[in-house]
Amino acid sequence: MNIPLFTTEEETKLLKEEILNEVERVIDSGKFIMGPDVTEFENEVSTYLGIKHAIGVNSGTDALVIGLKAAGIGVGDEVITTSFTFFATAEAISQVGAKPVFVDVEEDSYNIDVSLIEKQVNENTKAVIPVHLYGHAVDMDPLMNIADKYDLKIVEDVAQAFGSDYKGSKVGTIGDVGCFSFFPTKNLGAYGDGGLITTNSDEIAEIAKMLRVHGSKKKYHNEILGFNSRLDSIQAAILRVKLRRIDEWNEGRKRVANKYIEILDGNENVVLPKSKYYTNHVFHQFTIRVKNGMRDSLQNHLKDEGISTMIYYPVPVHELPLYNHDINLPITNKLKDDALSLPIYPHMSDEIVEKVVSKIINYLRSDSYV
Ligand SMILES: *Cc1c(COP(=O)(O)O)cnc(C)c1O
């Protein structure tokens, strides 16, 4: 048995011809950098999300760095975020010269606990980065209230939640800036690196567009220090094909998640992920919590059985050597020891889900009787 955590095998079978035709079209056009496919993709994705501006960039990390800069965040500023995320969230804050301030997460959604944010706000606080972790939206209404009260910018990290929504609005369209990743394993994945910045602000959009091309509006008339961070035309053409399937594929992930929940429901050895009423969870990851200190041994057992799983994230960002913040985040600390992400991808069959679950149930059952 070999069950991967994620695979593009089935989608490749379905789309290979269509995608190769699109790639050929771009090659024949000779327009590789900022070609028409980038503009077309930006138009299509802004319509899909319901946002005024969509700006393609080189990666999700660059989307965060450029998004923060365009929102005016820089040296001396503090940005509140979660420690239970991929390093890039905090890395982007540090890259613009600001300081990340970490608060704890909610035990049920794994997302930043918005009720803890206000306590950390001081005169240097300029922004919050909510991370819609695993595809589940952060509770945005109370967060936007805090932002209004203290005049903070909200820069959403939507890397794991393309297509998810909060009370009917797509995530990445609620704060000042949305930052998306098209890393191949993300819900909308390119065949290489890619990212996107979204905003309804004309001002932020204008700066972000300059920043991605060396700080210029007009070629060779550079005005500010920028980056070389463009979405590649070939990736844009591929993303246009895949964008047309995103809802169907997010539904596929939900089917898999519901199947896991159906068979694991009531099992006393695990805690299942719950979707809160306000979000349409798109299950970038299906992450359970394993009780009784059994997470690591379960993971090893599944590995021996040919089933890949991952620990997102074994070291919370605030404990990484670069930060090493001496703070106590009790829920984050619990999650790093018991969270386990199980295989999930849009075309995963119910039969494979059943195989994974039976191995989990049998292992945890046998062990609890030892
Ligand atoms: C993947 C990811 C990023 C970074 O995206 P890249 O495209 O790999 O640069 C940022 N934040 C989170 C939460 C992610 O999962």
Side-chain angles (χ1 to χ4, degrees):
M1 191 153 56
N2 179 20
I3 301 177
L5 188 73
F6 172 80
T7 172
T8 52
E9 198 181 322
E10 282 92 346
E11 68 163 59
T12 303
K13 264 186 228 144
L14 285 168
L15 296 183
K16 197 168 187 176
E17 221 183 284
E18 195 177 342
I19 284 181
L20 286 176
N21 284 336
E22 294 301 307
V23 171
E24 190 175 15
R25 187 177 52 70
V26 177
I27 292 173
D28 289 344
S29 79
K31 292 174 175 147
F32 305 114
I33 304 292
M34 298 299 284
D37 279 279
V38 174
T39 313
E40 286 302 316
F41 173 66
E42 288 173 343
N43 290 338
E44 287 160 10
V45 79
S46 64
T47 303
Y48 174 86
L49 294 170
I51 189 92
K52 193 163 176 196
H53 302 282
I55 300 149
V57 291
N58 188 52
S59 69
T61 306
D62 280 7
L64 285 162
V65 172
I66 294 174
L68 284 165
K69 264 192 180 292
I73 310 306
V75 176
D77 296 339
E78 292 188 8
V79 180
I80 297 172
T81 193
T82 166
S83 173
F84 198 61
T85 179
F86 179 53
F87 175 61
T89 312
E91 184 183 30
I93 297 169
S94 300
Q95 280 293 6
V96 303
K99 178 187 167 200
V101 174
F102 302 105
V103 302
D104 213 355
V105 293
E106 298 176 331
E107 197 150 4
D108 47 2
S109 74
Y110 311 91
N111 276 330
I112 190 164
D113 186 339
V114 175
S115 72
L116 300 175
I117 290 176
E118 211 165 346
K119 262 180 268 166
Q120 299 300 328
V121 175
N122 62 42
E123 73 257 18
N124 296 322
T125 311
K126 293 288 152 51
V128 179
I129 302 188
V131 181
H132 306 289
L133 199 73
Y134 305 149
H136 186 293
V138 168
D139 195 1
M140 293 302 287
D141 278 349
L143 178 59
M144 295 314 291
N145 287 338
I146 295 170
D148 281 347
K149 187 169 168 190
Y150 296 99
D151 194 21
L152 307 176
K153 292 281 192 273
I154 301 299
V155 178
E156 296 176 65
D157 184 338
V158 205
Q160 301 189 1
F162 192 99
S164 176
D165 66 36
Y166 176 77
K167 297 184 181 172
S169 298
K170 289 273 188 281
V171 289
T173 68
I174 301 161
D176 298 277
V177 187
C179 305
F180 294 78
S181 165
F182 304 126
F183 187 84
T185 61
K186 304 288 160 95
N187 288 38
L188 181 62
Y191 290 170
D193 277 311
L196 186 80
I197 295 166
T198 52
T199 183
N200 280 316
S201 155
D202 294 343
E203 195 190 333
I204 290 175
E206 186 177 36
I207 304 170
K209 279 185 194 165
M210 289 172 75
L211 288 172
R212 76 173 162 179
V213 285
H214 306 284
S216 63
K217 278 184 213 150
K218 199 171 149 203
K219 214 170 184 179
Y220 307 127
H221 294 264
N222 311 73
E223 298 171 42
I224 53 175
L225 279 182
F227 304 91
N228 175 359
S229 181
R230 298 169 293 229
L231 179 64
D232 183 285
S233 291
I234 288 179
Q235 297 304 336
I238 293 166
L239 287 165
R240 291 180 69 194
V241 173
K242 295 180 71 170
L243 179 63
R244 297 198 276 272
R245 273 83 175 184
I246 187 65
D247 285 341
E248 185 191 324
W249 291 359
N250 276 341
E251 282 305 316
R253 287 176 181 272
K254 277 188 261 177
R255 172 187 51 77
V256 171
N258 287 333
K259 188 75 195 168
Y260 271 124
I261 289 168
E262 180 193 317
I263 2 184
L264 276 168
D265 193 31
N267 187 298
E268 72 269 26
N269 298 310
V270 298
V271 181
L272 296 173
K274 274 191 218 74
S275 310
K276 296 212 183 175
Y277 73 95
Y278 49 69
T279 187
N280 175 24
H281 196 332
V282 293
F283 288 100
H284 173 60
Q285 297 298 338
F286 186 83
T287 305
I288 63 169
R289 299 179 60 194
V290 185
K291 293 187 187 170
N292 312 317
M294 298 287 292
R295 195 267 312 269
D296 292 349
S297 69
L298 172 65
Q299 183 180 40
N300 286 331
H301 173 74
L302 292 174
K303 189 171 167 224
D304 292 343
E305 296 281 352
I307 299 170
S308 301
T309 60
M310 274 296 265
I311 296 165
Y312 297 115
Y313 294 88
V315 185
V317 180
H318 77 281
E319 286 181 2
L320 290 169
L322 197 65
Y323 294 114
N324 203 12
H325 288 190
D326 186 19
I327 45 172
N328 184 23
L329 305 178
I331 314 251
T332 298
N333 279 332
K334 259 199 268 184
L335 292 174
K336 79 167 183 205
D337 291 330
D338 66 16
L340 187 67
S341 296
L342 304 181
I344 190 165
Y345 46 92
H347 300 91
M348 189 172 166
S349 68
D350 286 357
E351 197 191 339
I352 297 181
V353 178
E354 280 159 12
K355 277 189 189 152
V356 174
V357 171
S358 75
K359 296 292 176 198
I360 294 173
I361 291 178
N362 285 335
Y363 180 74
L364 292 177
R365 181 190 292 137
S366 61
D367 225 272
S368 57
Y369 289 115
V370 169

